Each structure stands twice: as C-alpha cells, then as structure tokens.
Amino acid sequence: MNINKSNPLLLHPLNKWMKKKKWSWFPHQIETFHHVRTGSDVVVFAPTGAGKTLTGFINPIYDLIKLKKFKGLHTLYISPLKSLANDIVRNLEKPIKELDLNISFQVRTGDTTPYKKQKQKQKPPNILITTPESLALLNSYENAKEFFHNLKYIIIDEIHTFLDNKRADLLSLNIERLQTFSPNLQRIGLSATLKNKQDAKKWLCRKKPKIVSYENSVLPKIRILESKERIPWSGHMATYSINEIYKEIMQSKLTIIFVNTRAQAEYIFKNLWLINKKKLKIAVHHGSLEKNLRLKVENNLSKGLVDCVVATSSLELGLDYGDVEKIIQVGAPKGINRLLQRVGRSNHNLNTPSKAILVPTNRFEFIEAKAAIEEIKKNNLDKIDLKEGSFDVVAQHIFGTACSGQFEINDLYKEIIKAYPYKKLKLNDFKQLINLIQDGGYVLKNYDQFKRIFQLRENKNIYKLVNRRETRKYRMNVGTIIENPMLKIKLGTKTLGNIEEVFIQNLSQGDSFIFAGQILEFQSMKNNLVQVKRSKSLISKIPSYSGGRMPLSTNLANSVRALLAKSNMWDLYPEQITEWLKRQKNISKIPKKDEYLVEQFPRKKNFYTVIYTFAGWHANQTLGFLLLRGFKEFNYKPLGFVANDYAIVLWSLKEVKQIKTILNLGLLDKHLDNYLEETSIVKRLFRDNAIISCLIERRLPGMEKTGKQVLFSSDLIYTVLKKNEPDHILLKSSYEDAKKNMIDYDRLREILKKIDKKIILKKLTSISPLAVPIILEINRENLSKKETDEYILEDLENEILKEANVLSIN
Amino acid sequence: MYYQLINFGNEEFHAYPDKSLYWKRLNTLIVSDLHIGKSISYAKNKQFLPPYDTKEILSKIFVSLDKIKPSNLIIVGDLLHDVFSTLSLKDQDHKNLSQYMKNTDFIWIKGNHDKNIQIEGFKNFTNYKIDKLLFTHIPIETSLFQICGHYHPKVKISHRGKTIFKTCFIHNEKIFILPSFGILTGGLDIHNKQISDVLGKNNLSIYPVGQDKVYKL
C-alpha cells in the first residue's frame, strides 16, 4: 500500500459511526478511496466480511456530504440478485439514519411497485440500488439521458458473478450507455478474490484502471467427513453418510448444507427428516420454491430460528447470516472459487477461520474433495474465462436503445465496441442485428410495411422506433435469463413453487414426487397449474432440473490428476479408497499428471473403451459424441456412451483397434459441425437466442398459452430458417453460443491438441477398478428415468462389482 | 412415399407423412389447416418469423399434386391464416395455382381463419358432401361421417422413460381429424378437452406422423 500520511478516511462522514461501532478502516478501503478520488475506475477484491459493500459507498457518501450540494441521481449500485439489493438497502440505512446524513437512497427491482417506480423517475434518490435488468429498463425510457446525465458513480457488486455469462454482456452494454449519458461517470467493481484480477479490470475499467486487493490470511478449516460407512462407487445422494451428517448438524448451532442440484436438496432434506429424532429445525431452500417459502427460510436463518438449511447455489451469494457456524458441502466441489464462496457463508468474522466439511458422494469425489482442500491451502483459485459477447444481447440492446429515442447507427456501434465483450464485434454483424430488430433481418423482404424500427428519410443512418407500443414489448422481454417452461404447483390453494414442464409431462396421474420436502401425488394439470395432494407413497421421483450442471473446473481437474498420481499419499486415505487405487495400479495403471489413460476390455459380448480425460462433463459429453462418429467411421459398430466429469466410456460391438488414430484434433475438426447439427444443442440455444433478441416473445410464468395452442414453437422457426436462410445472423449467433459455452470447445481443443502423444493404452481382460464408477453410470442412466429405486441399483452394483472382482475391497 | 392405410366410414384412405390424406376410390387428395401467410400475419404484430412458410407450403402441396395427380383437392379449412395472408401470395404463386387447377378441381372449405377471404379462381364451400362423407372444418351435428381439420391434433407418446409429441391423424367411428399441413403451425394435445369433447376418449384410432412414415398406435 502506498498511501502515505495519515488515513484520509478519518475525516470521512462515516468515521464517527465506525468509531462508535469500534471498527477501524481496512487498508483496501483507504486505498480505494484514494484511487477513486484521483479519478480512477477501480476493482476491489476482498473476501466476505471485509466491508466490501461499504468500500463501494465510501466515495459517493463522501462526495454527497463534503462536496457541493447535489440534487438528483448520484450513484447507481448494481447487485446480481434482487434479494441482495434489499439487503444492501438495509445495510446502508444503518449509518445514514444513525448519523442523520442528508442522502436519499432507494431500491428498484422487478418487485418495486409501478407507483414507486414512477415516483423515482420524477424525483430520483441520490443512490439507487438495482439489478442489471432494471438498469436496462431504465436505459430504455425516453428520458434516460436526462435521468442519468449527472451520474457520478456506478458500483458493480459481486462482479465476479457477471464475467462469464450473457448477463455480463447486457450489463457491459448498459454501462457504456450510461457513460455516453454521463461522460464523467466512474466505475467501481466489488469482487470476491479472483485468480485473473487483470481480466476483471479490463472488463470494467476505462479511466486510469486500478486494482485494489485484500487477501485474508486466515485460511478456512475444511475437512472431509469421516465416515464409518463405505463411500459408494457412484451416485450423488450421499445416502451412506446421512447419519453422520445429522450428527454434525446436532453439534453446531447453525449449519448450511450446500448441494449441487435441486434434486439433491430435496433428497437429502427428505432423508434428514426421516432420521430427525431430536426434532431439529431443518429447512430446504432452492430456486424453484415459491418466493414466500424462500423468504421465510431466509428470515428464519438470519434470526437463527433454524438449526440447518439444505440449499443449492440459491444461498451462495452475499446475504449475511451472522450465526452460521458450519458449512457442509455434499457432493463434488467442482471448483475452488465456488467452494470458497460457499465456505465463506459461515462465520463472517475475518480473524477466525470458517469451518466446513466436505461429504463426497462417491469415490472420485473423495479425490476431488481432497484436491480442493489442497488447492485452497495453496490459495490456487480458478480462472474465470471472460466471455466474448453474444449477438442476441446486442439485438436486445438495440431494441432498448430505440425505445429511449432515435439513434445514429455509427454512434451506437462505436459505443457498443467500447464494451469489453464486444471489442471484436464487426460492423457488418452489427448491421445485421439492426436488421434483425427492424424486421427479422431476412433476405426475403416480405415485411417492409411492418417494420419495428425504420430509417429516417432525410438520414438513412438514423433509426427510429415505429410506435411507442413497442416499448411495452421490449419491457416484457428484457433480460438474458431464460427459464425452462415452468408450471406452478398447487397443494390445495397454496402455491408451493415452480416445476419444469418436462418433468410433469413424464408423470401420470397418481405418480408421486418430492417437492419442497414433501411427497406429493400428481393429480391433474389445468391452465398451467399442477394440482397435487399429499402422498404416503414410499417410491417417489425427484424432479431433475436441466441446466445447473456445473462442470469440473480445469484448475481443480489438474489438481485431481496430480493428487491421483501421488501414490505416497494413498495411505492417508480411508482404507477402501487406498485399496481401490492400489488395485487399479496392479490391474491397470494410475495415469500420471499429464497422461491420458485409455482402457479397453470386453464385457458381456460388447467391447468397452474408457478414456480418463478429467475434462469436465461438458467437454466429455462432446468428446463422447465425436468419438461415437469416429468409431462409426471405422466400422466398430458403437452402441453408446456415457460421460461424467472425469471420464468417458463407449461400448461397441467390435473391438476398437485404432483408438490412437481416432483420438486427436482431427476428430474435432472433422465431426464438430455434424455433431452440432445432429444433437439438439444449437436448436435449444436458438430458442434462447430468439427470445433474447426479441424475435419471439417470452412466455412469462403464469401467462397462459392461447386456448388453441396453435402457437409456433422456436423449433419450427429454427427448421424453416435453417432450410431457407442458413446464414441468418441468429443461426450464426446460436452456433457461436454453442461453440463457446455449451460444449467447452476451447478446453476440448486444448486436450486433443496434445493427447495423441500422451495416451497410455491398457488392454485388459475385464473391467478395471477405476472404470467401475462410470460403468455403473451406464446402468443408472438407462434405468433412472423409470426406476430410481435404490434396491435395484444396489443389486446392479453388486453384480458389476463381482465382475470386476473387487467386492472384497468393501 | 409410404402411406398408412386407414379405414373410415367404410372407405379406404391413405395417410401420407406430408400430412395429406388420399381417397383413392375417387382420386381425391385432402389437406387441412395450411395457414398460408401465418408469418406475415405475425409480422404485423412485429413478430418476425421466417417469411418462407408460404413458399414451403405451396411447394409441398405442388409436390404432392405432381405425384398423385388427383382429380380433386379438398382443403378442409384454414387455407389462409388471415386477411393479411393474401399479401404473401405473389403473382407467380397465383400463376402456379391456376396451372394446377387445370387438372385438379380445388374445393376450398372455409375455416374460422379464412371464412371472409376470397382468392381468385377458388371455389368456396362451408362444407362439402360426397356420398356418406361430409367435409367440414369443424364437426357439426349430423349422422354423416365427417372429415375435419381445425384442431391440429398431436399425441403424447411416452416410451422407455422418454416423452415426445407427434402430429397425428386421428378418428373415432364417425369423425376424422386431419393434422395441420402448415409449416409454422403448432399442435393441440389430443387429450385436451377441446378435442375430447369432439372425439370422446375411447375407441380412438391414432396415427402419429413420423419423418418418412405414418405410424399406427
């Protein structure tokens, strides 16, 4: 730190309050204050509990009180979540009220009433706390320029959550818009600790960019749950350890159990209740639950009225629940950053370590958990890859811009390419996106008389919205988060939450399933409402939610490989894990850190090839499809494949003799296009693209399909477009999205580039111990849809274990 | 083209995967719910669907006419999506249509979407009777066997844990409903009240339309 002289914050209006609370200023707060005052855009990296929120407000509050009187909107604060925005208001309220400072502040989100919104427009507060979507909306109002022309600061909270998704694109475009309205605007980003801090700086900062960083020297205490039970070969439900998890809950005041999927949350919640002899107060929290149910849990959590909450990433961010003593992570950590974020939810005191327990649900996850703990000790975080901007978001932005008034095409283009994700946006693509908003942008000009925006006759470079009615449509469609079609679940007259339409379609009347911790029987579906009643059934399905499947981070994957290869560590593991790895070493091989083990063996008339890539689920899934095509080409008669985070298994009728010839970069170049075409990936992304770019209207929750349901579907549009106009910008956009985001293209490319020299091929006579988990997944995938019955799986497991001759390890 | 043989009203029909129905005895081709110009009609509400539906629907029907060379073509309603749809018929389309009309008698039964629209050279009917069969867009009270459209039926098929929806031909003893011949037209689940009110729930014959084949459930 290079701030000499005494601490300038001692003269800050908040200093009195700080003193009263017996708090002192953090070094990063002093440093940020200095940089911002001297005109820099700043990103602040600090762990939770280090006064991050306050850091953002130090300069605005100082300016508002100490500098000349200011009227109107001064500072905009962007939060990733609505709930977090409300929390920020509460935190800001305390010092401002106590010190009686003359600063007005309000929140504006989708939940704000129209009346209040209207008031805000007429008489804006000094500080407005909002979300990226609400900012986009504000920018689309006719008086946007006037509203923002004096804006001094924009603060982006939890900026690390924005960097790698379409919301980041939307936000970056709208920040540039603000900068145009108010050229003196300064940017302040607040982030959890990141590996690639420079990237976050590049993304946000324009003026004298600065990074301020505060690292916590107290490391969290993380351990793996010690279990007397055997860790299962595969599966994700942690049934084996439920009693031990329960014990851990009993031993601490307040525990959050984090899981990776909503299905896991429901399942573990149910199982905990089955053994809840002490009548502990256990709650469940995930994104599909009705808002009121969620709020109730959050409330009880902050008041310490519960003993334990089972939660998904829905409880991961921000909100401060002071009394959380322990975090239990069930299932693979998947990434270091994510794990740290979760662990940080306990104990907000910086000087004492957070406490967390990892519960691996299967054997590979044990290694992964171990590796994650090692990396956290070394403070080796994951890199967040900045995303290149998507086309559809630009289209939406063009529409929004047109809603706020006419625009000049070159001015808008120049503004857009200032946004970091769009640095490389080509003028030609931009023009096509203008056309897309204008009339769909088709080569066949059929819609001349129906345009949404049109060029002025006197200046063809200026576009104008055709009528104000269109602004309403923009407002209905704003945002980049596309939910799967959801249906409301009703128990009597009470709404429990939303469930995916796809799941309900697979149910018949009388089927039971678990939701919100209750076993429910499906009765009927009417007008997008799913009517259920309570059920006593023992066999029930768990809704699985597509999406949300986080792949293993490259960083952690590398660490897993390294750890696996360290055979001197094995003796420290539970005996079953040690035995498992030792047997693998004897029967086949443990791959070294940079080796790719490929095992081949016959099994039940078929021929199996297992490739251990540790490339994460997305990349492995793609590789599986590509190999399927490669095998077909060589006439090995492949039958199928299954992929997980660590490996891929393919089975075929014939022996795969030339795996080294097939498994290389050529595979990707040769088959990727076909793959994208044949699988529904691009088609699915086209739907998102069509909605985000406002080509088709969003079906909002609760909005009913028109009576006759002869609506077009995005699939039909996709098919017609692909046949007639394969170069259309939205197809290009969907294809790019697929390549960039869905299939982990870059990661796969990196691996295939070097794989051929690093393949270790093992021909075996039967299945190896390392292959058992993924072979088990084959049967799970083929069965799970209909029969999630654990007994059947148990049975199958035993059968396969006998085959691998590894039963004795138990 | 493979067809599926369907017996209805003591007559034999061939159901084709292009969603047309052929009555061989009278050399008559039957289609329904083409919704020509749906895209242009949406465009007036600023929903810009690919403007290729009219072109595709016409070429599909022309292919079928070339192959089968029927004496009659019966359109069981909703040939056009709405008044704006005629905008999507270009001069060349009109020329082609009148060319085909030389060898085939076009019988256009009006549907709810196109009841107030005229196209030159097309003969209009509210319904059309041949022997014991009545062709009508929406079924009416009658003792005759009826062949209709309107509902765009699709059927939900669950198999091995997977669920798919397929457009289908469907009939009970007295009423036959054709699938939509259109391109951007969706469908209505046959278990939806609107369809079950017409067909009932039992003794249904359902023929899902696959890629190159019409199946029988």
Side-chain angles (χ1 to χ4, degrees):
Chain A
M1 230 223 338
N2 291 321
I3 312 291
N4 45 21
K5 291 188 266 178
S6 65
N7 176 5
L9 286 180
L10 296 178
L11 298 171
H12 195 280
L14 290 181
N15 196 57
K16 215 160 79 187
W17 184 71
M18 296 284 285
K19 255 168 92 182
K20 202 173 118 197
K21 294 260 166 193
K22 297 201 170 67
W23 292 343
S24 48
W25 296 99
F26 282 104
H28 60 274
Q29 292 176 324
I30 303 171
E31 200 180 341
T32 305
F33 179 65
H34 169 75
H35 287 319
V36 175
R37 268 193 91 186
T38 47
S40 281
D41 290 349
V42 180
V43 188
V44 186
F45 297 91
T48 15
K52 215 160 43 187
T53 312
L54 185 63
T55 309
F57 284 115
I58 289 176
N59 291 82
I61 290 177
Y62 183 87
D63 290 7
L64 279 165
I65 299 297
K66 294 271 179 176
L67 302 186
K68 70 170 194 247
K69 258 207 165 322
F70 189 93
K71 264 191 140 179
L73 188 62
H74 181 273
T75 295
L76 201 59
Y77 188 95
I78 308 290
S79 153
L81 299 174
K82 279 190 235 171
S83 55
L84 213 55
N86 291 321
D87 216 50
I88 298 293
V89 170
R90 255 174 271 143
N91 283 344
L92 196 57
E93 203 165 27
K94 285 175 203 157
I96 289 184
K97 283 251 166 90
E98 278 180 41
L99 295 169
D100 199 20
L101 299 177
N102 187 19
I103 295 175
S104 55
F105 56 95
Q106 282 168 19
V107 67
R108 184 191 184 96
T109 66
D111 295 341
T112 310
T113 60
Y115 173 75
K116 223 174 164 187
K117 283 183 183 167
Q118 195 57 34
K119 280 250 155 180
Q120 281 173 350
K121 261 166 71 185
Q122 286 157 359
K123 193 171 176 275
N126 297 136
I127 299 172
L128 188 63
I129 294 145
T130 188
T131 60
E133 289 74 20
S134 286
L135 169 59
L137 283 172
L138 282 167
N139 271 340
S140 78
Y141 286 114
E142 259 183 307
N143 62 348
K145 195 180 165 156
E146 225 174 285
F147 191 75
F148 287 119
H149 81 284
N150 230 345
L151 190 69
K152 300 293 181 227
Y153 298 109
I154 179 163
I155 305 165
I156 318 289
D157 194 10
E158 311 274 9
I159 194 170
H160 60 281
T161 63
F162 286 118
L163 296 178
D164 58 353
N165 50 51
K166 284 193 181 180
R167 269 184 117 194
D169 299 345
L170 182 76
L171 182 57
S172 72
L173 292 171
N174 280 296
I175 295 175
E176 293 309 333
R177 199 93 256 272
L178 291 176
Q179 196 86 54
T180 304
F181 293 152
S182 174
N184 291 327
L185 178 69
Q186 267 180 276
R187 309 169 180 198
I188 303 166
L190 308 173
S191 173
T193 320
L194 271 191
K195 185 171 200 169
N196 44 332
K197 299 191 175 81
Q198 293 295 333
D199 281 342
K201 186 178 85 177
K202 271 191 269 177
W203 190 90
L204 182 72
C205 302
R206 298 292 169 273
K207 292 176 179 154
K208 298 198 278 175
K210 286 276 173 359
I211 287 175
V212 173
S213 180
Y214 178 80
E215 307 277 341
N216 189 357
S217 50
V218 182
L219 289 171
K221 278 193 179 155
I222 310 177
R223 62 182 167 89
I224 294 179
L225 181 78
E226 274 171 41
S227 176
K228 289 195 190 79
E229 310 295 324
R230 72 182 184 98
I231 302 176
W233 291 90
S234 78
H236 297 284
M237 291 309 172
T239 316
Y240 79 98
S241 58
I242 201 77
N243 285 309
E244 282 142 329
I245 292 176
Y246 188 72
K247 252 182 233 154
E248 292 290 344
I249 302 171
M250 279 197 307
Q251 284 161 14
S252 61
K253 202 162 80 189
L254 180 47
T255 308
I256 298 181
I257 300 179
F258 276 115
V259 295
N260 293 337
T261 64
R262 292 174 197 184
Q264 273 178 322
E266 291 285 359
Y267 198 88
I268 287 166
F269 178 67
K270 182 193 108 179
N271 281 349
L272 282 175
W273 269 103
L274 287 178
I275 55 164
N276 191 3
K277 290 191 194 100
K278 298 263 175 205
K279 301 241 160 42
L280 296 180
K281 295 188 192 86
I282 305 173
V284 64
H285 189 283
H286 60 70
S288 288
L289 294 177
E290 183 65 10
K291 198 173 125 200
N292 289 335
L293 292 176
R294 265 182 287 154
L295 284 178
K296 205 170 131 194
V297 174
E298 284 165 29
N299 232 330
N300 288 342
L301 194 55
S302 56
K303 287 185 189 145
L305 293 176
V306 281
D307 299 303
C308 169
V309 178
V310 185
T312 61
S313 51
S314 58
L315 273 188
E316 222 169 69
L317 274 184
L319 298 161
D320 200 335
Y321 302 118
D323 292 338
V324 178
E325 198 180 308
K326 194 187 274 169
I327 298 294
I328 299 178
Q329 160 73 32
V330 174
K334 300 285 180 201
I336 309 294
N337 297 3
R338 189 174 151 92
L339 182 58
L340 271 178
Q341 180 83 35
R342 291 183 160 194
V343 170
R345 307 315 302 135
S346 90
N347 178 39
H348 279 234
N349 184 346
L350 275 181
N351 301 316
T352 46
S354 310
K355 274 185 243 156
I357 297 169
L358 307 184
V359 184
T361 61
N362 60 52
R363 290 179 185 200
F364 266 111
E365 283 188 358
F366 176 85
I367 309 284
E368 192 182 317
K370 207 83 193 161
I373 291 174
E374 291 301 309
E375 295 310 307
I376 285 178
K377 275 185 202 155
K378 287 186 270 177
N379 200 21
N380 180 19
L381 304 173
D382 300 322
K383 196 166 160 270
I384 294 183
D385 290 316
L386 289 192
K387 174 184 168 303
E388 224 176 276
S390 295
F391 288 145
D392 51 354
V393 184
V394 176
Q396 190 182 95
H397 186 66
I398 292 169
F399 191 7
T401 305
C403 289
S404 74
Q406 61 184 40
F407 64 87
E408 207 273 341
I409 180 168
N410 295 306
D411 289 349
L412 185 59
Y413 176 68
K414 277 183 221 146
E415 179 187 296
I416 286 174
I417 57 172
K418 280 186 202 154
Y420 189 81
Y422 294 103
K423 273 199 154 16
K424 293 185 198 151
L425 179 70
K426 294 193 185 87
L427 181 61
N428 189 36
D429 288 332
F430 174 69
K431 283 184 174 160
Q432 286 194 49
L433 291 165
I434 296 249
N435 292 339
L436 176 66
I437 287 303
Q438 178 180 271
D439 60 4
Y442 303 105
V443 174
L444 185 67
K445 291 288 165 206
N446 250 13
Y447 301 151
D448 272 347
Q449 45 190 319
F450 303 122
K451 287 177 180 171
R452 184 153 50 192
I453 55 175
F454 65 96
Q455 292 157 292
L456 294 189
R457 214 168 278 161
E458 58 273 23
N459 182 350
K460 293 255 183 238
N461 281 335
I462 294 182
Y463 282 80
K464 202 179 165 189
L465 198 68
V466 75
N467 62 44
R468 298 302 303 163
R469 239 195 355 250
E470 288 306 299
T471 55
R472 227 191 99 242
K473 281 189 204 151
Y474 170 77
R475 278 164 205 157
M476 302 279 284
N477 277 287
V478 80
T480 57
I481 301 165
I482 309 287
E483 300 242 357
N484 283 316
M486 292 287 221
L487 303 170
K488 266 198 175 16
I489 301 192
K490 285 261 186 192
L491 179 64
T493 53
K494 194 172 146 204
T495 305
L496 295 180
N498 296 305
I499 199 162
E500 294 201 344
E501 193 174 332
V502 184
F503 178 74
I504 293 296
Q505 275 171 0
N506 278 306
L507 290 184
S508 312
Q509 207 175 12
D511 278 356
S512 57
F513 62 98
I514 305 179
F515 189 86
Q518 312 179 48
I519 300 176
L520 304 168
E521 185 182 311
F522 174 57
Q523 287 184 295
S524 66
M525 192 181 98
K526 244 183 250 157
N527 301 333
N528 289 343
L529 293 179
V530 178
Q531 203 62 51
V532 297
K533 64 175 190 189
R534 285 215 176 79
S535 161
K536 289 193 180 111
S537 167
L538 290 176
I539 302 169
S540 46
K541 301 179 182 188
I542 298 174
S544 63
Y545 301 84
S546 52
R549 186 157 188 172
M550 296 277 300
L552 178 66
S553 79
T554 308
N555 184 27
L556 186 52
N558 288 337
S559 169
V560 169
R561 300 168 67 113
L563 195 64
L564 206 54
K566 269 192 202 158
S567 53
N568 56 341
M569 294 277 288
W570 293 355
D571 284 335
L572 303 173
Y573 301 165
E575 204 187 327
Q576 26 173 335
I577 303 280
T578 316
E579 283 296 318
W580 175 48
L581 297 176
K582 278 187 179 164
R583 263 180 202 257
Q584 171 67 18
K585 197 176 173 187
N586 291 338
I587 292 169
S588 174
K589 192 178 181 337
I590 297 280
K592 290 205 191 94
K593 196 182 167 187
D594 57 347
E595 286 174 347
Y596 291 91
L597 175 65
V598 177
E599 293 177 333
Q600 298 189 311
F601 50 85
R603 189 178 163 254
K604 287 189 181 169
K605 288 184 191 158
N606 292 333
F607 191 84
Y608 283 70
T609 304
V610 186
I611 306 162
Y612 302 88
T613 61
F614 296 90
W617 183 75
H618 282 165
N620 278 346
Q621 189 76 11
T622 308
L623 187 56
F625 271 109
L626 297 178
L627 281 170
L628 213 55
R629 304 187 127 262
F631 283 14
K632 242 179 229 162
E633 212 172 47
F634 277 73
N635 209 18
Y636 296 139
K637 302 202 184 323
L639 298 170
F641 81 92
V642 163
N644 62 20
D645 271 328
Y646 316 105
I648 309 153
V649 55
L650 294 101
W651 56 104
S652 50
L653 285 175
K654 287 194 178 167
E655 186 177 350
V656 176
K657 287 194 172 135
Q658 304 201 54
I659 185 74
K660 286 188 182 181
T661 321
I662 300 171
L663 192 56
N664 53 45
L665 202 53
L667 187 73
L668 193 62
D669 295 333
K670 198 166 173 189
H671 296 296
L672 187 72
D673 286 356
N674 281 329
Y675 158 61
L676 288 176
E677 214 128 294
E678 276 177 24
T679 56
S680 55
I681 289 180
V682 178
K683 207 190 249 182
R684 210 172 61 229
L685 288 169
F686 181 79
R687 175 176 156 254
D688 293 2
N689 268 271
I691 293 174
I692 290 173
S693 66
C694 305
L695 188 77
I696 60 177
E697 278 165 23
R698 204 180 271 261
R699 203 181 113 204
L700 295 167
M703 218 159 85
E704 297 194 9
K705 287 184 187 173
T706 56
K708 237 172 62 128
Q709 304 207 337
V710 280
L711 288 175
F712 47 84
S713 74
S714 61
D715 283 6
L716 294 174
I717 300 176
Y718 173 80
T719 312
V720 173
L721 194 54
K722 208 164 142 29
K723 191 164 153 201
N724 291 283
E725 217 180 308
D727 294 328
H728 192 270
I729 185 82
L730 262 198
L731 289 175
K732 186 174 164 187
S733 176
S734 315
Y735 185 84
E736 293 288 312
D737 275 0
K739 248 168 95 166
K740 275 180 224 148
N741 310 317
M742 290 303 293
I743 58 173
D744 253 334
Y745 178 80
D746 293 338
R747 191 169 181 180
L748 196 55
R749 201 169 179 86
E750 275 314 300
I751 289 172
L752 288 176
K753 234 197 278 182
K754 54 193 180 190
I755 198 169
D756 46 349
K757 290 184 196 77
K758 307 243 169 94
I759 293 177
I760 307 293
L761 184 60
K762 282 279 169 191
K763 303 239 176 206
L764 308 173
T765 50
S766 67
I767 179 173
S768 77
L770 210 56
V772 170
I774 193 156
I775 296 284
L776 280 166
E777 280 192 37
I778 295 176
N779 301 286
R780 213 171 275 266
E781 292 236 332
N782 292 346
L783 266 174
S784 62
K785 297 265 168 51
K786 263 260 172 300
E787 343 243 346
T788 26
D789 206 313
E790 290 289 312
Y791 297 113
I792 293 175
L793 293 172
E794 198 87 334
D795 201 44
L796 246 168
E797 197 165 276
N798 285 331
E799 196 178 298
I800 290 163
L801 294 180
K802 250 181 239 158
E803 213 182 308
N805 208 14
V806 285
L807 251 185
S808 54
I809 304 176
N810 300 325
Chain B
M1 249 196 307
Y2 292 107
Y3 59 80
Q4 171 73 45
L5 194 67
I6 299 179
N7 282 307
F8 174 77
N10 309 317
E11 297 282 350
E12 270 186 7
F13 295 92
H14 301 167
Y16 283 104
D18 72 351
K19 296 164 197 165
S20 65
L21 188 69
Y22 180 53
W23 186 5
K24 198 172 177 198
R25 185 170 71 83
L26 295 180
N27 191 26
T28 294
L29 189 66
I30 308 150
V31 293
S32 183
D33 297 274
L34 284 70
H35 288 267
I36 283 176
K38 179 166 178 174
S39 64
I40 211 155
S41 142
Y42 270 79
K44 74 172 193 279
N45 291 320
K46 321 295 179 204
Q47 290 233 18
F48 304 112
L49 312 182
Y52 302 98
D53 53 336
T54 300
K55 188 188 103 187
E56 281 205 23
I57 294 165
L58 287 179
S59 71
K60 223 167 74 139
I61 197 93
F62 293 157
V63 165
S64 187
L65 291 173
D66 284 338
K67 200 167 284 174
I68 292 172
K69 299 194 182 9
S71 323
N72 311 296
L73 173 71
I74 304 181
I75 300 146
V76 210
D78 290 354
L79 170 68
L80 299 170
H81 190 71
D82 67 9
V83 186
F84 283 84
S85 311
T86 45
L87 289 172
S88 68
L89 289 170
K90 307 285 179 238
D91 288 349
Q92 188 57 48
D93 297 328
H94 286 289
K95 265 183 215 157
N96 290 339
L97 279 168
S98 46
Q99 199 60 39
Y100 281 102
M101 283 177 182
K102 283 181 187 159
N103 302 316
T104 301
D105 210 4
F106 278 47
I107 298 160
W108 178 14
I109 291 152
K110 289 304 192 73
N112 53 321
H113 273 265
D114 54 8
K115 57 179 171 240
N116 301 318
I117 314 167
Q118 305 296 326
I119 307 178
E120 222 185 278
F122 274 78
K123 279 180 267 177
N124 303 330
F125 303 88
T126 41
N127 51 50
Y128 194 85
K129 182 173 169 288
I130 305 176
D131 298 344
K132 286 201 170 109
L133 289 175
L134 182 75
F135 295 84
T136 170
H137 184 57
I138 300 174
I140 57 171
E141 286 290 328
T142 171
S143 57
L144 296 168
F145 296 100
Q146 300 186 70
I147 294 190
C148 338
H150 185 62
Y151 297 98
H152 304 210
K154 65 176 182 182
V155 58
K156 172 173 146 182
I157 302 162
S158 296
H159 184 61
R160 288 180 188 265
K162 284 204 170 153
T163 301
I164 51 169
F165 279 97
K166 282 282 161 198
T167 310
C168 62
F169 296 86
I170 180 169
H171 68 84
N172 63 13
E173 200 202 331
K174 299 290 283 185
I175 297 172
F176 190 112
I177 301 177
L178 265 81
S180 162
F181 194 81
I183 299 291
L184 291 171
T185 44
L188 181 65
D189 189 339
I190 56 166
H191 296 299
N192 187 291
K193 191 167 176 299
Q194 292 195 53
I195 293 186
S196 52
D197 279 353
V198 171
L199 291 181
K201 288 184 176 168
N202 304 316
N203 298 325
L204 297 175
S205 305
I206 303 163
Y207 305 89
V209 180
Q211 196 67 42
D212 312 298
K213 204 181 148 190
V214 176
Y215 299 83
K216 184 177 181 358
L217 282 192

